[in-house]
Amino acid sequence: MSKVGILMGSKSDFDVVKPAVNVLKKFGVEVEVRVISAHRTPVEARDFALNARKNGFGAIIALKC
């Protein structure tokens, strides 16, 4: 099964994504939460997106606060 990547721009956003992480895990979905800012680390964000499928991600949830 593919995993889900949850991206947020700051560690302080974790409280917002935590309920989604809990629900996905409840259904047995592997979740990887990453702090990647499209503004502060655009190259890292680009590389993550371009390599997501190769790295086993079937979906990406990106938080914008």
Side-chain angles (χ1 to χ4, degrees), residues 7 36-39 41-51 60:
L7 307 182
I36 301 176
S37 170
H39 301 286
T41 56
V43 173
E44 184 179 355
R46 177 185 174 275
D47 290 345
F48 182 88
L50 289 174
N51 294 299
I60 299 172

Side-chain angles (χ1 to χ4, degrees), residues 10 16 47:
S10 171
V16 176
D47 290 345

Side-chain angles (χ1 to χ4, degrees), residues 4-60:
V4 174
I6 298 181
L7 307 182
M8 54 191 180
S10 171
K11 278 177 73 170
S12 63
D13 296 329
F14 184 72
D15 287 340
V16 176
V17 302
K18 188 175 181 179
V21 172
N22 291 338
V23 169
L24 290 166
K25 287 184 175 182
K26 179 179 175 182
F27 286 101
V29 177
E30 183 180 353
V31 180
E32 186 174 314
V33 179
R34 303 271 308 266
V35 176
I36 301 176
S37 170
H39 301 286
R40 291 186 303 275
T41 56
V43 173
E44 184 179 355
R46 177 185 174 275
D47 290 345
F48 182 88
L50 289 174
N51 294 299
R53 187 177 304 259
K54 178 178 74 172
N55 290 326
F57 291 95
I60 299 172

